[in-house]
Amino acid sequence: MTDDQSAGGIRVLLAEDQGMVREALAALLGLEGDIDVVAQVGRGDEVVEAVLAHRVQVAVLDIEMPGMTGIEAAAELRRRSPGTRVVIATTFGRPGYLRKAMESGADAFLVKDAPAAELAEAVRRVLRGERVIDPTLAAAALAEGANPLTGRELEVLAAAADGAVNAEIARRLHLSEGTVRNYLSMAIQKTGARNRAEAVRIAAAKGWM
Amino acid sequence: MTDDQSAGGIRVLLAEDQGMVREALAALLGLEGDIDVVAQVGRGDEVVEAVLAHRVQVAVLDIEMPGMTGIEAAAELRRRSPGTRVVIATTFGRPGYLRKAMESGADAFLVKDAPAAELAEAVRRVLRGERVIDPTLAAAALAEGANPLTGRELEVLAAAADGAVNAEIARRLHLSEGTVRNYLSMAIQKTGARNRAEAVRIAAAKGWM
DNA sequence: TCCTGCGTATGACGGATGTCATGCCGCCCC
DNA sequence: GGGGCGGCATGACATCCGTCATACGCAGGA
């Protein structure tokens, strides 16, 4: 997963769990004369090590990855390699994702719907110190406000997401069953849903989970 | 979306809704000397027209697309352009998807986790008349057996998936509320779930929905 | 210091959900 | 022509879920 021949271009790392997509993006960036993809990883928890090993200037991270999300990896990078710029490229343009990405210190946020040319352009711009954010998404994130759900409410909602019954959620999180009901009731109200399933759907769509 | 300069290679169409991924895959295939990506579309319902317009030999289709799924597009192609070979390339390696893809006349079924080289290789092989299927996935599809859910059960389950309450499902499908309960009960039993949410999750994971 | 928000818990109530039995109709296959 | 299956329905029952009121401890901010 390391293709390290320095030719003088921008040193880029690609983190993306789907091999075919990752290699295709590498091929795409490789066509740009000023960019060298010097490392590729398929897991979030391999990002920091690879960045340090290959003196990466710009890390392009997917969000959904095994081991660690791209957002968590961005936060790690902020600590362990503060000079490295971070571009988040994700399938889902959820406002909550954008917010979390920015808080974790990302420099750019792209959705994969966008034309491919934007990726190379974003890499160049973050290296110049600019921030690159889809304006539509930025507006949506601002309009929506912050995630209203508390940590515990999110945990309970996540457990409910895969169809667990109250008693099981209680066991998993070491809570009483009544407390689980209370949290879910709160989450349902805050999301404006009519039941737990809808609450899960809404929270997921907004990138709160 | 049409990049039509014949250079004598295999004439390929790419259908994939995420622009960045689509163009990256095009770049990747473009690096192969014997393949020409002569058309790109971002919607399922544009596939047939583009295939006919560009004399496409191999169509590479994603499953999840707006307008029409890749599987439906494959079935359309089978009727309208029987000489065109079809490669399904999908994010989700669900056994039910493989089964449906094969029934709709696809020649190859790849998951995007696989190394990029397999895509070009699959294009060449289907053109020679071979079928290309991930053996692990094929085994899983056979082991699992066919979708046990009836049409109506699937419709009710799909309506329940986005958090609709029984009364609303009944209204949407013109059923009585009791009937909705019966269908959901059936679906819960057949999937081995404990409630509707888990039934939805299981059915989705197996590609039944 | 007091107030607020979060985490946790209990109890009670009404409505939603899941199960089961039973029935009817239409279709297809033997 | 009879049997089986899918689609549709009703009624009854037990449980689960969602809501609300109330309570306590702990932290952090005014």
Side-chain angles (χ1 to χ4, degrees):
Chain A
M1 281 305 109
T2 60
D3 180 15
D4 201 351
Q5 81 291 17
S6 328
I10 306 173
R11 301 177 64 79
V12 169
L13 166 136
L14 258 182
E16 155 71 53
D17 62 334
Q18 292 184 68
M20 205 169 276
V21 174
R22 181 178 68 242
E23 295 178 44
L25 288 172
L28 186 75
L29 288 175
L31 294 179
E32 308 284 327
D34 58 341
I35 293 177
D36 290 332
V37 177
V38 295
Q40 293 186 32
V41 300
R43 304 179 49 87
D45 50 14
E46 292 172 357
V47 168
V48 171
E49 190 184 2
V51 162
L52 294 174
H54 298 279
R55 305 191 318 282
V56 166
Q57 295 173 282
V58 179
V60 177
L61 310 179
D62 186 22
I63 293 186
E64 281 92 5
M65 280 188 290
M68 184 186 276
T69 71
I71 290 175
E72 290 162 349
E76 274 289 294
L77 276 183
R78 181 46 93 247
R79 279 195 293 280
R80 310 263 311 271
S81 179
T84 302
R85 310 289 182 172
V86 172
V87 174
I88 299 279
T90 179
T91 304
F92 306 103
R94 298 177 179 154
Y97 279 4
L98 170 55
R99 182 178 295 267
K100 277 187 277 184
M102 290 299 116
E103 285 167 5
S104 72
D107 299 282
F109 191 95
L110 305 178
V111 291
K112 289 182 188 162
D113 289 333
E118 286 189 19
L119 179 57
E121 197 45 35
V123 167
R124 293 189 192 98
R125 289 175 62 186
V126 296
L127 195 65
R128 293 200 299 263
E130 295 177 44
R131 292 205 138 188
V132 184
I133 296 158
D134 184 318
T136 317
L137 213 51
L142 288 174
E144 177 180 285
N147 184 344
L149 299 170
T150 70
R152 225 44 178 152
E153 284 162 5
L154 282 170
E155 286 182 73
V156 173
L157 205 54
D162 42 66
V165 80
N166 281 342
E168 194 189 314
I169 301 174
R171 225 176 313 117
R172 273 202 234 171
L173 300 181
H174 309 292
L175 291 173
S176 90
E177 210 172 319
T179 306
V180 170
R181 281 214 296 278
N182 289 340
Y183 284 140
L184 278 172
S185 184
M186 284 293 107
I188 289 167
Q189 285 176 238
K190 288 182 180 176
T191 52
R194 285 163 307 174
N195 53 48
R196 58 183 65 197
E198 203 178 5
V200 165
R201 196 172 55 78
I202 291 170
K206 299 202 171 183
W208 289 344
M209 302 192 65
Chain B
M1 286 300 109
T2 61
D3 178 19
D4 202 350
Q5 81 292 17
S6 327
I10 305 173
R11 302 177 63 81
V12 169
L13 165 135
L14 259 183
E16 154 72 53
D17 60 336
Q18 292 183 67
M20 204 169 278
V21 174
R22 182 178 68 242
E23 295 178 45
L25 288 172
L28 185 77
L29 288 175
L31 295 179
E32 308 283 328
D34 57 340
I35 293 178
D36 291 331
V37 178
V38 296
Q40 293 186 31
V41 300
R43 303 180 48 88
D45 50 14
E46 292 172 356
V47 167
V48 171
E49 191 183 2
V51 162
L52 295 174
H54 298 279
R55 305 191 318 283
V56 165
Q57 294 174 281
V58 179
V60 176
L61 310 179
D62 187 22
I63 293 186
E64 280 92 7
M65 283 188 290
M68 184 186 276
T69 71
I71 290 176
E72 290 162 348
E76 275 289 295
L77 277 181
R78 180 47 93 247
R79 279 195 293 280
R80 310 260 312 269
S81 179
T84 301
R85 308 290 181 172
V86 172
V87 174
I88 299 281
T90 178
T91 304
F92 306 103
R94 298 179 178 153
Y97 278 4
L98 171 54
R99 182 179 295 269
K100 277 187 276 185
M102 289 301 118
E103 286 167 4
S104 74
D107 300 283
F109 190 95
L110 305 178
V111 291
K112 288 181 188 164
D113 289 333
E118 285 190 19
L119 179 57
E121 196 46 35
V123 167
R124 293 188 193 100
R125 289 174 63 185
V126 297
L127 195 66
R128 293 201 298 265
E130 295 178 43
R131 294 204 136 187
V132 183
I133 297 158
D134 184 317
T136 316
L137 213 53
L142 288 173
E144 176 180 286
N147 185 343
L149 299 170
T150 68
R152 225 41 178 155
E153 284 162 3
L154 282 170
E155 285 182 75
V156 174
L157 205 54
D162 41 65
V165 81
N166 280 342
E168 194 188 314
I169 302 174
R171 225 175 314 115
R172 274 202 233 170
L173 301 180
H174 308 292
L175 292 174
S176 90
E177 210 171 320
T179 305
V180 169
R181 282 214 296 280
N182 288 341
Y183 283 140
L184 277 173
S185 183
M186 284 293 106
I188 289 167
Q189 286 175 238
K190 287 182 181 177
T191 53
R194 285 162 306 175
N195 53 48
R196 59 182 66 196
E198 202 179 6
V200 165
R201 195 173 55 79
I202 292 170
K206 299 202 173 185
W208 289 344
M209 300 190 65

